[in-house]
Amino acid sequence: MALLLGAMGVLALVSHTGCTDNTNGLSANGVPELDYPDVELGLAQRGPHFDVAYSRNVTALVGKTAQLNCRVHDLGNRTVSWIRHRDIHLLTSGRMTYTSDQRFISVHNPHTEDWILKIRFPQRRDSGIYECQVGTTPPIGHRMYLSVVEPLTTILGGPELFINMGSTINLTCVVQHSPEPPPTIKWTHNDEEINYDSPRGGVSVITEKGETTTSHLLVQKAKAPDSGRYTCEPKNANPRTVLVHVLSGEHPAAMQHGGQLRLQYPLSAALLSVMVTLMGC
């Protein structure tokens, strides 16, 4: 079923005939895959039509303003509305807002064909399908999926690690569910930023950015002063702390075997192994 906006802002149900149904199945990660089978790109179209290349699904961070863009060509004097499918709620019509939730704002520059639904301070519950609808007869709609995510930071093996004195402290920080790799990742020891050029020597970091970002902190020939709190602080995600104990002659069950933390990422483990070998020469 599609939705028709009346002159007084009243929604009525109309038949599916002539409307755009852009919902397919679910992707591997559970996010709906929205396809647009009835929009033929490259062909001349009469009347309002959506530019799907500029009206795509969006992934946003919790608390960071999200924007869903809907580009409509040849709109004429028709009205563009935004509807939230979760509760069939009319959010905006034209530049007017029809919800008491003041986080939702309609933005349109008269010199463009873009109609933007802006959501301030989005939360994970705001994830779902939103439809940009044009008030033709019958109405046409284009659906987009908003995914609001909260980046997850973990340090493998935490929250406490025990290693032998003289072995290598090997900490791996993993950042997941971030729309883009963190621009920087800062490591601190007992709340002081680690200086990789300090006279102590033997301290290095390797960062691999991607859909999942990993940062590896290596501290060779561990000594008692190397014990303490180590914190991984990604620029766009929450920090994570691990407590490291450098012990002499004791072998708790949680101790890293041989001073090496068993990694879940084989490539990272291979790179670290080579790095430690070279630094030990």
Side-chain angles (χ1 to χ4, degrees), residues 13 55 135 161 175 184 205 207:
L13 295 178
S55 310
L161 295 174
V175 183
T184 59
V205 67
T207 299

Side-chain angles (χ1 to χ4, degrees), residues 28 53 65 71 108 158-159 202 214 242 254 270:
T65 300
R71 181 169 294 184
H108 173 64
T214 57
V242 65

